[in-house]
Amino acid sequence: MGPTASGKTELAIALAETLDGELISVDSALVYRGLDIGSAKPSYPHHLIDICDPEETYSAARFVGDARRIIGDVRARNRLPILVGGTMLYFRALLQGLAPMPAADPKLRAALEARASTEGWPALHDELRRLDPESAARIHPRHSQRLLRALEVCLLSDQTLSQLHERTPTPPWRAHCVALAPAARAVLHERIALRLDRMLEGGFLEEVRTLHRRPGLHAKLPALRSVGYRQLWAHLDGEYDLATARTKALAATRQLAKRQFTWLRKWPDLSWILTDPGGSAVLSQDAPGIDGDVPIGKRGNPSDLVLNYLRTDAM
């Protein structure tokens, strides 16, 4: 696990080659064909990459079904499943269980969106407060996707999100959870900016332009709401110039990293591999701060530290 641009893929590849493992992507953008440059799609083989069209909606529930099947197949080959990515909702759904939610209903969703366009999102939030006060307290009135899903669940199941979460099943396995991150937040921000500029130099805008020309694709699709894609799409729609699109994409990617850190700080039994600018790392049970101080401990390269951790934990 880890925030975007932290080096997860490189570490996962090293572990796969050492441990005779197979990589399973945990990334909500990598599932889509045609989203290559802006999603930093790796060339090394991963399961759950390029498995659906951008017109489709890929959900956490679908991910759990796919990942469980692939984990079983990998284990049947006597190889090690290695999950790698930054979509923390998918990790939680797989490793902590997924509540039995009703499937999305396009007609109901369209009706709710129509109401929002006439009555406003605060009116729908008021309705959610009546139906599910606990969820309404967690969801901002402007978080339209979360608000729509919470209302949809209530109206389809006659139960609240909290009630359904209480019925979450326990997964049938144990996982070793390790997060990789630079010890200094400023270093991560530098890596995010450098990667975005390399993507733009490598044809990111042309990639989005190709998608923009396709009939059936539009800005509200989950695939095209991914960071970077959303901002370049808006640029091609004429909302702002390319320099502004870059600034907005950079800010959105930093916000994504911040949200990922929020998830990880609450993750149970998580070990951190904290790196410094020189490339060395230390294994820690504490999340990184903002000052960049690396905790005292045994140093090494990230893959060796993970391997030693796994051997020690197995004992």
Side-chain angles (χ1 to χ4, degrees), residues 9-29:
T9 299
E10 292 83 355
L11 174 56
I13 291 171
L15 292 174
E17 293 180 342
T18 302
L19 298 171
D20 192 25
E22 296 184 29
L23 301 185
I24 302 171
S25 172
V26 188
D27 189 293
S28 60

Side-chain angles (χ1 to χ4, degrees), residues 121 125 138-149:
W121 291 107
H125 193 266
R138 294 195 308 268
I139 299 174
H140 191 278
R142 296 296 178 186
H143 288 174
S144 58
Q145 294 302 309
R146 294 183 63 197
L147 177 54
L148 284 172
R149 182 54 179 161

